C-alpha cells in the first residue's frame, strides 16, 4: 500500500493531468449544455498543456536564462542546472491552438443558439425531430 | 527558386490567405483569382517536387537553415510527393469548379470563404510535407479549425454537426499531441527520423507502446475509422457542396497518409508489424469499418449521405491494407489514398452539380436526371464504376492490390469484406442509375405527352471540371502500373516483403 502511495506522490504531475483530462472528457460526454461541453473541451486541452509544462521541470534547476550572453569567452553550460524550455515553447503554440478552437466552438454555439433558441442538446434534438 | 519548392507549397497559400481576407474588404472580385493563383503556384511546386523526387530521390529542406534535430525539416519522399500533388490539384480544380456556387451561396462572404479555403489547403499540404511531429500537430489544427468553420457555413444542421466535429476532432488532435509528448519524454526529440533513430532499443518500453496507441487512436478519430466515425456523416452531408467536395476527399486521405507515415517512418515496420502484435486486431477493426460503412450506406435515401458512409468504408480499406503488413497491402493502401481521393472528389463534385440544378439529393429528386444532366451523370457513372472497382478505372487496381495483400497475409476476413463492399457499392450505384435513367422526371409538366424534359446542365465550368476529374480516373487507371512501379513501390521500405 505504501508502495502505491509513494508511486502516486512521486508522479503526482501525471495524476493531476490525467484527472483533469478525465474531468474534461466527462463534461464533453455527459453534459447536456453545449457551453459546458465546450468548457470541458478546454479543460481537456489545458490538461495536456499542463502535462507538457510539467515534463520540462527538473529538481534544483533554475529558469533557462544564461546571464552572461554572447561575446564573453566560452563557458560551459550544464544542462542539468536549467529546466527544459522546449516543452514550454511548444505549449505557447498549443495555447494559441486551444484559444482558436475555443473561439470557433463558442462562435458555433452562438450560431446554434440563434438557430434553435436554446443551448441544451436534448431540446435541440427535439426541435430537429419535430421539424 | 527550385531549391525553395518544399517551403513554397506552404508559404504561398498561407500568405495569400491574408491577401484574400484583405481583398475581401476592398474588391471581392479579386478573392477567387488570388486563391486560384496561390493554389496554382502550389500545384506547380508539388509537380516539380514529384519530378525531382523521381529523378534524385528524397528532398530535404531545412527551415531557416537549422539542421535537423533542432530546426524543423520538410522532407519529401516517394510516399508524400504523390499525396502532395493530389491535395494541391484537387484543391485547385475544386476552387475553379465551384467558384460559381460560392458567389451565389455566400454573397458578400467571398473574402472569408476563400481565406479559410486556402488556409485549409495550407494545413493539409503542411501536414503532408513536414518531417517534424509537433509541426504536424500545428498544421493538423490549422486544417481542422478552418475545416470546422467551412463546414459550419452550410445550411440546416450544419452548425450543430460542425460543433460535434469540433468536440471529436479536438479529442483526436489532443490524443495525437499527448502521444507525441510521451515520445518526446522517451527520446528528447520531435524530428521524425531522429525519433526513429532513438526508438529501436525502447520498443519494449511501456511508454513507447502507450504513445503509439494514443497517437493511433487520435489519428483514427480524425480519419473516422469505424467506431470513431460518429462526427463524419452529418458534418459532410450538411456542409455546403463547394466545401464537402474539398474536405471529404482530402481530410480523411491525408490522415491515412499521416498514419502510414507514423507506422513506417517514426516507428519502423519491425515495431508496428512484428513487436507490437496488433496487426490482426486492427485489420479486423477495418473489416468492421468496411461492413458497417457499406451496410449503413444501403440504408440512406440521400445521395450525399450515402457517399459519406461509403467514405467510412473506404477508410476501412486503407487502414486494413496498411495494417496487413505486407508489400501488396501497403501498395494497395498508398495507391488507394491517391485513387480514393480522386474518386470521392469526382462523386462529390457530381453531387454538387446535381444539387445546384435540382435543389435536393434525395432519391426522388434524382428521377430522370440522365435526360436533364447527361454530362454530370456521365461523370458520376465513371466515379461510381471506379468506387465499385471496374477496370480500367483506377479503383480496380488499388482494390486488386488490397485483395492480393489480404490473400498473401492469409487474412480472408479482409478479402471477404472487400468483395462484400464492392457488391454493396454495385447495388448502391445501380439503384441511383436506375432511378436517374428509367424513372420519369418529377417536374413533368406536360403529363400524357411523350415529351422529354429539356436538358438543363450545370454551368459549363462545373461540368468541364467534373469531366476532367472523371477522365483523370480512367487515366490513373491506365497508368496504374507506372504509378506503382515508379513511385509507390519506392515509398515502401525494403524490409517489407
Amino acid at each position: 500500500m505504501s508502495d502505491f502511495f509513494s508511486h502516486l506522490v512521486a508522479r503526482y504531475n501525471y495524476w493531476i493531468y490525467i484527472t483533469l483530462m478525465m474531468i474534461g472528457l466527462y463534461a464533453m460526454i455527459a453534459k447536456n449544455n453545449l457551453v459546458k461541453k465546450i468548457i470541458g473541451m478546454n479543460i481537456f486541452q489545458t490538461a495536456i498543456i499542463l502535462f507538457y509544462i510539467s515534463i520540462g521541470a527538473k529538481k534544483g534547476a533554475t529558469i533557462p536564462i544564461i546571464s552572461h550572453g554572447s561575446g564573453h569567452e566560452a563557458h560551459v553550460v550544464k544542462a542539468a542546472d536549467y529546466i527544459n524550455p522546449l516543452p514550454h515553447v511548444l505549449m505557447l503554440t498549443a495555447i494559441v491552438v486551444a484559444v482558436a478552437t475555443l473561439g470557433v466552438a463558442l462562435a458555433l454555439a452562438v450560431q446554434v443558439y440563434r438557430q434553435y433558441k436554446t443551448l441544451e442538446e436534448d431540446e435541440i434534438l427535439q426541435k430537429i425531430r419535430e421539424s | 527558386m527550385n531549391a525553395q519548392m518544399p517551403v513554397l507549397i506552404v508559404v504561398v497559400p498561407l500568405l495569400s490567405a491574408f491577401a484574400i481576407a484583405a481583398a475581401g474588404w476592398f474588391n471581392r472580385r479579386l478573392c477567387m483569382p488570388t486563391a486560384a493563383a496561390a493554389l496554382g503556384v502550389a500545384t506547380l511546386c508539388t509537380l516539380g517536387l514529384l519530378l525531382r523526387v523521381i529523378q534524385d530521390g528524397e528532398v530535404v529542406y531545412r527551415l531557416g537553415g537549422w539542421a535537423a534535430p533542432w530546426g524543423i525539416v520538410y522532407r519529401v519522399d516517394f510516399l508524400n510527393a504523390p499525396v502532395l500533388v493530389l491535395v494541391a490539384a484537387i484543391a485547385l480544380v475544386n476552387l475553379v469548379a465551384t467558384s460559381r456556387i460560392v458567389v451565389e451561396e455566400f454573397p458578400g462572404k467571398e473574402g472569408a470563404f476563400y481565406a479559410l479555403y486556402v488556409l485549409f489547403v495550407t494545413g493539409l499540404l503542411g501536414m503532408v510535407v513536414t518531417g517534424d511531429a509537433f509541426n504536424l500537430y500545428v498544421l493538423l489544427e490549422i486544417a481542422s479549425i478552418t475545416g470546422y468553420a467551412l463546414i459550419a457555413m452550410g445550411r440546416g444542421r450544419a452548425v450543430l454537426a460542425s460543433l460535434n466535429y469540433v468536440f471529436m476532432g479536438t479529442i483526436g488532435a489532443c490524443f495525437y499531441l499527448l502521444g507525441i509528448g510521451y515520445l518526446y519524454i522517451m527520446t528528447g526529440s520531435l524530428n521524425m527520423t531522429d525519433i526513429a533513430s532513438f526508438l529501436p532499443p525502447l520498443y519494449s518500453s511501456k511508454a513507447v507502446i502507450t504513445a503509439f496507441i494514443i497517437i493511433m487512436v487520435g489519428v483514427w478519430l480524425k480519419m473516422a475509422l469505424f467506431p470513431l466515425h460518429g462526427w463524419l456523416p452529418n458534418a459532410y452531408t450538411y456542409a455546403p457542396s463547394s466545401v464537402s467536395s474539398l474536405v471529404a476527399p482530402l481530410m480523411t486521405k491525408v490522415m491515412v497518409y499521416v498514419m502510414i507515415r507514423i507506422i513506417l517512418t517514426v516507428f519502423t515496420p519491425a515495431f508496428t508489424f512484428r513487436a507490437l502484435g496488433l496487426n490482426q486486431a486492427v485489420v479486423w477493426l477495418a473489416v468492421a469499418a468496411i461492413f458497417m460503412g457499406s451496410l449503413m450506406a444501403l440504408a440512406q435515401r440521400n445521395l450525399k449521405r450515402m457517399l459519406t458512409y461509403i467514405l467510412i468504408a473506404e477508410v476501412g480499406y486503407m487502414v486494413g491494407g496498411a495494417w496487413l503488413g505486407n508489400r501488396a497491402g501497403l501498395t494497395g493502401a498508398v495507391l488507394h489514398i491517391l485513387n480514393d481521393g480522386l474518386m470521392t472528389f469526382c462523386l462529390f463534385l457530381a453531387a454538387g452539380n446535381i444539387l445546384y440544378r435540382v435543389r435536393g439529393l434525395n432519391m426522388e429528386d434524382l428521377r430522370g436526371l440522365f435526360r436533364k444532366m447527361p454530362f454530370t451523370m456521365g461523370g458520376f457513372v465513371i466515379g461510381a464504376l471506379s468506387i465499385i472497382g471496374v477496370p480500367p478505372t483506377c479503383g480496380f487496381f488499388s482494390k486488386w492490390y488490397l485483395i492480393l495483400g489480404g490473400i498473401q497475409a492469409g487474412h480472408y476476413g479482409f478479402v471477404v469484406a472487400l468483395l462484400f463492399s464492392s457488391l454493396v457499392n454495385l447495388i448502391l450505384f445501380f439503384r441511383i442509375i436506375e432511378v436517374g435513367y428509367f424513372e420519369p422526371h418529377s417536374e413533368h409538366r406536360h403529363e400524357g405527352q411523350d415529351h422529354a424534359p429539356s436538358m438543363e446542365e450545370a454551368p459549363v465550368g462545373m461540368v468541364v471540371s467534373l469531366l476532367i476529374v472523371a477522365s483523370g480516373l480512367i487515366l490513373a487507371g491506365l497508368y496504374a502500373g507506372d504509378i506503382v512501379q515508379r513511385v509507390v513501390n519506392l515509398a515502401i521500405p525494403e524490409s517489407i516483403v
Side-chain angles (χ1 to χ4, degrees):
Chain A
M1 202 60 190
S2 66
D3 200 39
F4 173 74
F5 277 115
S6 67
H7 196 76
L8 202 148
V9 171
R11 290 178 176 74
Y12 67 93
N13 56 331
Y14 296 145
W15 290 106
I16 290 173
Y17 107 77
I18 288 174
T19 315
L20 275 175
M21 222 170 119
M22 289 306 122
I23 291 172
L25 204 58
Y26 169 78
M28 260 195 277
I29 294 168
K31 291 292 171 191
N32 193 26
N33 186 297
L34 288 177
V35 172
K36 283 184 183 166
K37 280 188 176 216
I38 292 169
I39 299 303
M41 180 184 84
N42 210 36
I43 294 173
F44 190 83
Q45 289 175 309
T46 311
I48 290 171
I49 292 172
L50 288 177
F51 160 71
Y52 264 86
I53 299 290
S54 73
I55 63 176
K58 286 173 194 167
K59 226 173 217 160
T62 179
I63 47 170
I65 297 171
I66 295 165
S67 47
H68 25 251
S70 63
H72 290 258
E73 61 256 56
H75 48 268
V76 183
V77 177
K78 267 171 69 190
D81 289 343
Y82 301 97
I83 59 170
N84 184 357
L86 185 75
H88 300 192
V89 179
L90 297 181
M91 283 312 104
L92 277 181
T93 319
I95 288 168
V96 174
V97 168
V99 168
T101 320
L102 183 67
V104 170
L106 286 173
L108 288 175
V110 171
Q111 283 289 68
V112 168
Y113 185 75
R114 277 195 198 138
Q115 205 175 341
Y116 300 102
K117 301 284 172 249
T118 174
L119 281 172
E120 304 295 326
E121 205 172 25
D122 52 350
E123 289 173 25
I124 293 170
L125 293 177
Q126 184 74 30
K127 282 193 180 175
I128 288 173
R129 245 178 272 130
E130 279 164 12
S131 64
Chain B
M1 180 70 188
N2 240 1
Q4 309 290 334
M5 276 192 300
V7 77
L8 282 181
I9 59 175
V10 176
V11 167
V12 170
L14 179 67
L15 293 182
S16 78
F18 299 105
I20 293 164
W25 298 104
F26 301 113
N27 186 352
R28 270 183 267 121
R29 252 178 272 157
L30 287 176
C31 295
M32 191 282 186
T34 319
L39 292 181
V41 171
T43 311
L44 285 180
C45 285
T46 56
L47 279 173
L49 270 174
L50 178 66
L51 292 179
R52 228 171 96 192
V53 167
I54 290 175
Q55 253 170 23
D56 316 328
E58 196 180 79
V59 176
V60 177
Y61 183 89
R62 293 179 297 178
L63 260 75
W66 292 88
W70 297 283
I72 291 170
V73 163
Y74 281 180
R75 188 181 298 275
V76 187
D77 57 15
F78 287 98
L79 181 56
N80 58 3
V83 183
L84 281 174
V85 176
L86 177 86
V87 172
I90 286 185
L92 180 63
V93 173
N94 185 53
L95 184 87
V96 176
T98 58
S99 57
R100 184 84 177 263
I101 310 182
V102 173
V103 176
E104 288 171 24
E105 214 166 339
F106 317 114
K109 284 191 202 160
E110 290 98 328
F113 177 84
Y114 282 118
L116 285 172
Y117 187 105
V118 173
L119 269 179
F120 177 77
V121 181
T122 310
L124 291 183
L125 287 171
M127 271 158 78
V128 179
V129 78
T130 189
D132 185 278
F134 186 79
N135 198 233
L136 198 153
Y137 163 75
V138 176
L139 290 155
L140 168 67
E141 284 289 33
I142 290 177
S144 303
I145 293 173
T146 48
Y148 307 144
L150 283 172
I151 287 170
M153 288 175 104
R155 296 214 181 83
R157 285 177 65 181
V159 181
L160 197 64
S162 172
L163 193 55
N164 196 15
Y165 182 18
V166 172
F167 293 136
M168 300 294 273
T170 305
I171 296 178
C174 281
F175 270 29
Y176 176 83
L177 181 62
L178 190 62
I180 294 302
Y182 278 37
L183 284 185
Y184 178 70
I185 293 178
M186 296 308 288
T187 62
S189 181
L190 291 167
N191 182 286
M192 287 183 188
T193 42
D194 203 37
I195 294 178
S197 70
F198 286 121
L199 275 182
L202 299 167
Y203 278 159
S204 54
S205 148
K206 274 184 199 146
V208 170
I209 294 172
T210 316
F212 181 79
I213 292 172
I214 292 177
I215 292 176
M216 278 298 130
V217 171
V219 174
W220 286 338
L221 240 170
K222 279 275 183 191
M223 74 170 82
L225 185 66
F226 159 59
L228 311 169
H229 69 284
W231 55 269
L232 187 140
N234 275 343
Y236 288 2
T237 307
Y238 295 107
S241 48
S242 48
V243 171
S244 55
S245 56
L246 173 76
V247 181
L250 292 183
M251 193 71 193
T252 47
K253 276 1 123 234
V254 169
M255 288 323 291
V256 173
Y257 157 78
V258 169
M259 183 190 76
I260 295 179
R261 172 63 80 195
I262 288 166
I263 289 177
L264 293 183
T265 308
V266 180
F267 294 85
T268 49
F271 172 77
T272 325
F273 299 136
R274 269 157 245 144
L276 197 64
L278 280 175
N279 288 24
Q280 291 286 324
V282 178
V283 178
W284 280 114
L285 202 66
V287 169
I290 297 172
F291 270 106
M292 292 313 287
S294 303
L295 287 176
M296 286 191 283
L298 266 178
Q300 304 308 321
R301 305 292 300 164
N302 178 300
L303 173 61
K304 215 164 155 190
R305 214 173 163 75
M306 184 193 97
L307 291 179
T308 61
Y309 281 106
I310 291 178
L311 204 59
I312 291 169
E314 300 281 328
V315 169
Y317 285 24
M318 289 175 275
V319 173
W323 278 83
L324 284 173
N326 57 21
R327 188 160 268 277
L330 264 170
T331 309
V334 175
L335 192 62
H336 206 66
I337 292 180
L338 310 175
N339 292 346
D340 195 47
L342 276 178
M343 292 179 324
T344 37
F345 179 46
C346 179
L347 288 174
F348 273 93
L349 259 188
N353 286 8
I354 296 169
L355 193 63
Y356 184 82
R357 274 289 172 241
V358 188
R359 299 281 156 213
L361 283 172
N362 291 327
M363 282 294 168
E364 53 275 14
D365 297 319
L366 303 176
R367 281 186 200 140
L369 262 186
F370 274 88
R371 291 252 176 80
K372 198 175 173 193
M373 312 175 76
F375 295 110
T376 299
M377 289 311 276
F380 181 83
V381 167
I382 294 176
L385 290 178
S386 187
I387 290 260
I388 296 166
V390 179
T393 51
C394 58
F396 168 75
F397 296 94
S398 41
K399 209 173 264 181
W400 173 261
Y401 277 108
L402 288 171
I403 291 178
L404 205 65
I407 293 172
Q408 280 176 11
H411 203 297
Y412 293 99
F414 186 59
V415 178
V416 170
L418 284 174
L419 295 175
F420 172 78
S421 156
S422 306
L423 286 177
V424 171
N425 286 345
L426 195 74
I427 296 170
L428 287 172
F429 285 110
F430 272 83
R431 197 168 63 181
I432 288 170
I433 291 168
E434 190 204 340
V435 170
Y437 204 85
F438 292 112
E439 289 193 23
H441 196 259
S442 49
E443 292 159 27
H444 225 301
R445 264 169 259 151
H446 307 280
E447 291 293 344
Q449 290 176 32
D450 237 12
H451 168 79
S454 55
M455 203 173 107
E456 212 183 328
E457 258 299 354
V460 183
M462 294 164 74
V463 175
V464 170
S465 326
L466 175 65
L467 292 180
I468 289 173
V469 177
S471 49
L473 285 177
I474 296 176
L475 276 181
L478 292 178
Y479 288 98
D482 276 341
I483 297 173
V484 169
Q485 213 169 23
R486 303 178 84 180
V487 183
V488 178
N489 244 337
L490 299 166
I492 300 161
E494 280 160 15
S495 59
I496 297 176
V497 283

